[in-house]
Amino acid sequence: MTDEDIDLSDCPEITPELFAKAVVKKGLPVAKNKAQVTLRIDSDVLEWFKSQGRGYQTQINALLRAYMEAHQ
């Protein structure tokens, strides 16, 4: 895809006024360290998560975290 192929019709023009309204956030929480693991799960479960689109690993992590917190 070239730059000319990108549809920008729904994007507002960036102006100095737009930047004047910007909010700078400091002190954002530090992301927790993540560990890379090999995990065996049923192939249909993995395919379902993948079919949900980008971020399926984050969704799996969120579900595991919710389960962990509910059982503490």
Side-chain angles (χ1 to χ4, degrees), residues 37-52:
V37 298
T38 299
L39 178 67
R40 293 185 181 274
I41 58 175
D42 295 337
S43 59
D44 60 331
V45 172
L46 179 59
E47 290 306 314
W48 183 84
F49 273 101
K50 284 184 173 183
S51 74
Q52 304 305 300

PDB file of all heavy atoms in Angstrom, residues 37-52:
ATOM      1  N   VAL A  37       6.638 -18.204  27.536  1.00  0.00           N
ATOM      2  CA  VAL A  37       6.483 -19.606  27.926  1.00  0.00           C
ATOM      3  C   VAL A  37       5.968 -20.415  26.740  1.00  0.00           C
ATOM      4  O   VAL A  37       5.445 -19.868  25.776  1.00  0.00           O
ATOM      5  CB  VAL A  37       5.494 -19.772  29.109  1.00  0.00           C
ATOM      6  CG1 VAL A  37       5.981 -19.070  30.345  1.00  0.00           C
ATOM      7  CG2 VAL A  37       4.111 -19.304  28.734  1.00  0.00           C
ATOM      8  N   THR A  38       6.120 -21.708  26.860  1.00  0.00           N
ATOM      9  CA  THR A  38       5.486 -22.632  25.925  1.00  0.00           C
ATOM     10  C   THR A  38       4.312 -23.243  26.670  1.00  0.00           C
ATOM     11  O   THR A  38       4.475 -23.772  27.772  1.00  0.00           O
ATOM     12  CB  THR A  38       6.466 -23.731  25.484  1.00  0.00           C
ATOM     13  OG1 THR A  38       7.564 -23.098  24.837  1.00  0.00           O
ATOM     14  CG2 THR A  38       5.803 -24.712  24.541  1.00  0.00           C
ATOM     15  N   LEU A  39       3.140 -23.141  26.082  1.00  0.00           N
ATOM     16  CA  LEU A  39       1.922 -23.586  26.754  1.00  0.00           C
ATOM     17  C   LEU A  39       1.141 -24.479  25.813  1.00  0.00           C
ATOM     18  O   LEU A  39       0.890 -24.109  24.661  1.00  0.00           O
ATOM     19  CB  LEU A  39       1.093 -22.349  27.132  1.00  0.00           C
ATOM     20  CG  LEU A  39      -0.251 -22.572  27.798  1.00  0.00           C
ATOM     21  CD1 LEU A  39      -0.061 -23.174  29.186  1.00  0.00           C
ATOM     22  CD2 LEU A  39      -0.998 -21.258  27.903  1.00  0.00           C
ATOM     23  N   ARG A  40       0.752 -25.633  26.292  1.00  0.00           N
ATOM     24  CA  ARG A  40      -0.041 -26.545  25.462  1.00  0.00           C
ATOM     25  C   ARG A  40      -1.519 -26.340  25.789  1.00  0.00           C
ATOM     26  O   ARG A  40      -1.952 -26.543  26.922  1.00  0.00           O
ATOM     27  CB  ARG A  40       0.361 -27.989  25.723  1.00  0.00           C
ATOM     28  CG  ARG A  40       1.760 -28.286  25.260  1.00  0.00           C
ATOM     29  CD  ARG A  40       2.072 -29.774  25.439  1.00  0.00           C
ATOM     30  NE  ARG A  40       3.412 -30.068  25.025  1.00  0.00           N
ATOM     31  CZ  ARG A  40       3.781 -30.341  23.768  1.00  0.00           C
ATOM     32  NH1 ARG A  40       2.874 -30.356  22.813  1.00  0.00           N
ATOM     33  NH2 ARG A  40       5.028 -30.601  23.488  1.00  0.00           N
ATOM     34  N   ILE A  41      -2.253 -25.884  24.781  1.00  0.00           N
ATOM     35  CA  ILE A  41      -3.704 -25.734  24.925  1.00  0.00           C
ATOM     36  C   ILE A  41      -4.368 -26.386  23.722  1.00  0.00           C
ATOM     37  O   ILE A  41      -3.730 -26.606  22.684  1.00  0.00           O
ATOM     38  CB  ILE A  41      -4.129 -24.254  25.049  1.00  0.00           C
ATOM     39  CG1 ILE A  41      -3.672 -23.441  23.849  1.00  0.00           C
ATOM     40  CG2 ILE A  41      -3.594 -23.638  26.324  1.00  0.00           C
ATOM     41  CD1 ILE A  41      -4.171 -22.010  23.862  1.00  0.00           C
ATOM     42  N   ASP A  42      -5.634 -26.686  23.858  1.00  0.00           N
ATOM     43  CA  ASP A  42      -6.362 -27.327  22.763  1.00  0.00           C
ATOM     44  C   ASP A  42      -6.323 -26.444  21.524  1.00  0.00           C
ATOM     45  O   ASP A  42      -6.466 -25.211  21.617  1.00  0.00           O
ATOM     46  CB  ASP A  42      -7.809 -27.590  23.159  1.00  0.00           C
ATOM     47  CG  ASP A  42      -7.923 -28.596  24.304  1.00  0.00           C
ATOM     48  OD1 ASP A  42      -6.986 -29.383  24.494  1.00  0.00           O
ATOM     49  OD2 ASP A  42      -8.955 -28.573  24.998  1.00  0.00           O
ATOM     50  N   SER A  43      -6.117 -27.066  20.372  1.00  0.00           N
ATOM     51  CA  SER A  43      -5.961 -26.305  19.137  1.00  0.00           C
ATOM     52  C   SER A  43      -7.212 -25.503  18.793  1.00  0.00           C
ATOM     53  O   SER A  43      -7.109 -24.388  18.275  1.00  0.00           O
ATOM     54  CB  SER A  43      -5.583 -27.221  17.975  1.00  0.00           C
ATOM     55  OG  SER A  43      -6.564 -28.209  17.779  1.00  0.00           O
ATOM     56  N   ASP A  44      -8.407 -26.034  19.107  1.00  0.00           N
ATOM     57  CA  ASP A  44      -9.621 -25.277  18.791  1.00  0.00           C
ATOM     58  C   ASP A  44      -9.742 -24.034  19.670  1.00  0.00           C
ATOM     59  O   ASP A  44     -10.245 -23.000  19.223  1.00  0.00           O
ATOM     60  CB  ASP A  44     -10.871 -26.145  18.897  1.00  0.00           C
ATOM     61  CG  ASP A  44     -11.095 -26.745  20.276  1.00  0.00           C
ATOM     62  OD1 ASP A  44     -10.095 -26.979  21.003  1.00  0.00           O
ATOM     63  OD2 ASP A  44     -12.258 -26.991  20.645  1.00  0.00           O
ATOM     64  N   VAL A  45      -9.242 -24.114  20.901  1.00  0.00           N
ATOM     65  CA  VAL A  45      -9.243 -22.953  21.792  1.00  0.00           C
ATOM     66  C   VAL A  45      -8.318 -21.883  21.229  1.00  0.00           C
ATOM     67  O   VAL A  45      -8.698 -20.708  21.116  1.00  0.00           O
ATOM     68  CB  VAL A  45      -8.822 -23.342  23.230  1.00  0.00           C
ATOM     69  CG1 VAL A  45      -8.647 -22.109  24.104  1.00  0.00           C
ATOM     70  CG2 VAL A  45      -9.831 -24.308  23.827  1.00  0.00           C
ATOM     71  N   LEU A  46      -7.120 -22.278  20.833  1.00  0.00           N
ATOM     72  CA  LEU A  46      -6.168 -21.320  20.261  1.00  0.00           C
ATOM     73  C   LEU A  46      -6.713 -20.707  18.979  1.00  0.00           C
ATOM     74  O   LEU A  46      -6.631 -19.489  18.783  1.00  0.00           O
ATOM     75  CB  LEU A  46      -4.829 -22.009  19.992  1.00  0.00           C
ATOM     76  CG  LEU A  46      -3.759 -21.128  19.366  1.00  0.00           C
ATOM     77  CD1 LEU A  46      -3.447 -19.928  20.261  1.00  0.00           C
ATOM     78  CD2 LEU A  46      -2.514 -21.937  19.068  1.00  0.00           C
ATOM     79  N   GLU A  47      -7.282 -21.522  18.109  1.00  0.00           N
ATOM     80  CA  GLU A  47      -7.836 -20.994  16.857  1.00  0.00           C
ATOM     81  C   GLU A  47      -8.957 -20.002  17.115  1.00  0.00           C
ATOM     82  O   GLU A  47      -9.086 -19.002  16.416  1.00  0.00           O
ATOM     83  CB  GLU A  47      -8.317 -22.130  15.953  1.00  0.00           C
ATOM     84  CG  GLU A  47      -7.183 -22.955  15.371  1.00  0.00           C
ATOM     85  CD  GLU A  47      -6.143 -22.111  14.652  1.00  0.00           C
ATOM     86  OE1 GLU A  47      -6.516 -21.225  13.857  1.00  0.00           O
ATOM     87  OE2 GLU A  47      -4.942 -22.330  14.905  1.00  0.00           O
ATOM     88  N   TRP A  48      -9.783 -20.268  18.143  1.00  0.00           N
ATOM     89  CA  TRP A  48     -10.859 -19.323  18.456  1.00  0.00           C
ATOM     90  C   TRP A  48     -10.287 -17.980  18.887  1.00  0.00           C
ATOM     91  O   TRP A  48     -10.724 -16.939  18.433  1.00  0.00           O
ATOM     92  CB  TRP A  48     -11.775 -19.879  19.547  1.00  0.00           C
ATOM     93  CG  TRP A  48     -12.911 -18.948  19.808  1.00  0.00           C
ATOM     94  CD1 TRP A  48     -14.087 -18.876  19.126  1.00  0.00           C
ATOM     95  CD2 TRP A  48     -12.959 -17.921  20.801  1.00  0.00           C
ATOM     96  NE1 TRP A  48     -14.856 -17.868  19.639  1.00  0.00           N
ATOM     97  CE2 TRP A  48     -14.202 -17.259  20.669  1.00  0.00           C
ATOM     98  CE3 TRP A  48     -12.091 -17.494  21.794  1.00  0.00           C
ATOM     99  CZ2 TRP A  48     -14.580 -16.212  21.489  1.00  0.00           C
ATOM    100  CZ3 TRP A  48     -12.463 -16.448  22.601  1.00  0.00           C
ATOM    101  CH2 TRP A  48     -13.692 -15.817  22.448  1.00  0.00           C
ATOM    102  N   PHE A  49      -9.290 -18.009  19.774  1.00  0.00           N
ATOM    103  CA  PHE A  49      -8.678 -16.754  20.211  1.00  0.00           C
ATOM    104  C   PHE A  49      -8.049 -16.029  19.030  1.00  0.00           C
ATOM    105  O   PHE A  49      -8.200 -14.819  18.881  1.00  0.00           O
ATOM    106  CB  PHE A  49      -7.639 -16.993  21.315  1.00  0.00           C
ATOM    107  CG  PHE A  49      -8.230 -17.019  22.692  1.00  0.00           C
ATOM    108  CD1 PHE A  49      -8.457 -18.218  23.334  1.00  0.00           C
ATOM    109  CD2 PHE A  49      -8.554 -15.846  23.348  1.00  0.00           C
ATOM    110  CE1 PHE A  49      -9.006 -18.249  24.612  1.00  0.00           C
ATOM    111  CE2 PHE A  49      -9.096 -15.860  24.620  1.00  0.00           C
ATOM    112  CZ  PHE A  49      -9.327 -17.070  25.247  1.00  0.00           C
ATOM    113  N   LYS A  50      -7.327 -16.748  18.170  1.00  0.00           N
ATOM    114  CA  LYS A  50      -6.713 -16.125  17.003  1.00  0.00           C
ATOM    115  C   LYS A  50      -7.758 -15.522  16.076  1.00  0.00           C
ATOM    116  O   LYS A  50      -7.528 -14.484  15.466  1.00  0.00           O
ATOM    117  CB  LYS A  50      -5.866 -17.142  16.238  1.00  0.00           C
ATOM    118  CG  LYS A  50      -4.544 -17.454  16.898  1.00  0.00           C
ATOM    119  CD  LYS A  50      -3.739 -18.380  16.013  1.00  0.00           C
ATOM    120  CE  LYS A  50      -2.346 -18.601  16.538  1.00  0.00           C
ATOM    121  NZ  LYS A  50      -1.533 -19.438  15.632  1.00  0.00           N
ATOM    122  N   SER A  51      -8.919 -16.155  15.986  1.00  0.00           N
ATOM    123  CA  SER A  51      -9.970 -15.645  15.097  1.00  0.00           C
ATOM    124  C   SER A  51     -10.550 -14.328  15.595  1.00  0.00           C
ATOM    125  O   SER A  51     -11.215 -13.626  14.838  1.00  0.00           O
ATOM    126  CB  SER A  51     -11.096 -16.674  14.947  1.00  0.00           C
ATOM    127  OG  SER A  51     -11.895 -16.734  16.120  1.00  0.00           O
ATOM    128  N   GLN A  52     -10.280 -13.986  16.855  1.00  0.00           N
ATOM    129  CA  GLN A  52     -10.766 -12.726  17.416  1.00  0.00           C
ATOM    130  C   GLN A  52      -9.938 -11.539  16.934  1.00  0.00           C
ATOM    131  O   GLN A  52     -10.298 -10.396  17.155  1.00  0.00           O
ATOM    132  CB  GLN A  52     -10.764 -12.776  18.952  1.00  0.00           C
ATOM    133  CG  GLN A  52     -11.559 -13.922  19.538  1.00  0.00           C
ATOM    134  CD  GLN A  52     -12.988 -13.949  19.055  1.00  0.00           C
ATOM    135  OE1 GLN A  52     -13.737 -13.008  19.260  1.00  0.00           O
ATOM    136  NE2 GLN A  52     -13.373 -15.021  18.383  1.00  0.00           N
TER     137      GLN A  52
END
